[in-house]
Amino acid sequence: MTRTGDTDLTAQSTSDAHAEAVAAATATAGVQGLLFDDDLRPMPEDVGFRGPTACAAAGITYRQLDYWARTGLVSPSVRPATGSGTQRLYGFRDVLLLKVIKRLLDAGISLQQIRTAIAHLSKRGFDDLTQITLMSDGASVYMCTSPDEVIDLLAGGQGVFGIALGGVWREVEGSLSELPTERADGHDEGDSDGHTGDELAARRRARMTG
């Protein structure tokens, strides 16, 4: 927030400084890819990825994956482990959240703050997720749902770094296009007519060719 001064000159100076800060913040947000507006589509909800695949796409260890599942941070939504020999299957949203957690941890955000942020994100629909940018000052995490909110935080110095979920979505989609998928009924996706892996690969090629 800006504070008005006692004179018109001070007010003008404050206004100019704020305008410059907003312009700089807008440029920074654009360069960092925080103003994300790509059209992204969700994957089928009955298609999942085994633990090692989820780890590879999110850039985490299996130990982290297992701990976060046991503590309820991110649980496999397609098929939970229900007994000996049961393979957990993580949905696309699960992998997306795992990737976001990894990014926040790398930035030094506490696990407590991350749990709060992930709890809010888990309640959002797919369309909402692609429009969210997480901003942080290193201590707190802010959830921005519009470009103006991102720019205001950057201009106010509260946004040390940001994560556009649309950008993370695109990264995860690209990683998963190279990895095996499995349907909730236990069949490999290649045995069905869905071919989710092929669909992901096609999306990736389309983006690369423009």
Side-chain angles (χ1 to χ4, degrees):
M1 297 176 63
T2 57
R3 183 174 59 186
T4 58
D6 296 329
T7 66
D8 291 342
L9 182 60
T10 302
Q12 181 63 45
S13 176
T14 302
S15 177
D16 291 345
H18 179 66
E20 291 177 1
V22 169
T26 303
T28 299
V31 170
Q32 294 183 356
L34 301 180
L35 307 181
F36 197 89
D37 58 1
D38 274 17
D39 182 21
L40 299 170
R41 294 173 295 163
M43 299 305 305
E45 294 184 359
D46 65 339
V47 173
F49 309 89
R50 292 194 178 192
T53 300
C55 289
I60 62 174
T61 66
Y62 194 86
R63 184 176 181 180
Q64 287 174 311
L65 182 78
D66 185 59
Y67 176 70
W68 295 343
R70 286 188 288 106
T71 57
L73 182 57
V74 177
S75 300
S77 61
V78 176
R79 188 173 66 209
T82 55
S84 178
T86 303
Q87 289 288 343
R88 293 178 294 191
L89 286 183
Y90 288 82
F92 184 88
R93 177 204 287 267
D94 303 330
V95 181
L96 177 71
L97 294 179
L98 291 170
K99 184 79 168 181
V100 170
I101 294 170
K102 168 65 172 173
R103 290 279 185 84
L104 291 172
L105 284 174
D106 288 347
I109 304 302
S110 71
L111 193 56
Q112 182 179 0
Q113 286 286 337
I114 291 173
R115 285 188 180 277
T116 300
I118 295 301
H120 286 294
L121 291 177
S122 297
K123 299 175 183 177
R124 299 275 185 159
F126 273 110
D127 290 341
D128 289 339
L129 285 177
T130 62
Q131 303 302 317
I132 291 174
T133 296
L134 296 179
M135 301 293 296
S136 178
D137 54 9
S140 300
V141 178
Y142 305 90
M143 193 176 300
C144 300
T145 56
S146 73
D148 288 342
E149 290 178 349
V150 173
I151 292 167
D152 285 345
L153 280 174
L154 287 171
Q158 293 170 283
V160 174
F161 74 94
I163 302 172
L165 265 65
V168 179
W169 179 305
R170 188 167 59 187
E171 290 179 28
V172 170
E173 196 176 70
S175 297
L176 291 175
S177 68
E178 311 273 337
L179 298 169
T181 62
E182 185 175 318
R183 291 169 55 201
D185 60 11
H187 294 98
D188 288 342
E189 190 59 19
D191 296 334
S192 71
D193 295 330
H195 298 294
T196 298
D198 292 343
E199 182 180 349
L200 285 167
R203 292 185 191 183
R204 187 181 191 186
R205 288 194 298 270
R207 284 197 301 270
M208 293 177 66
T209 57

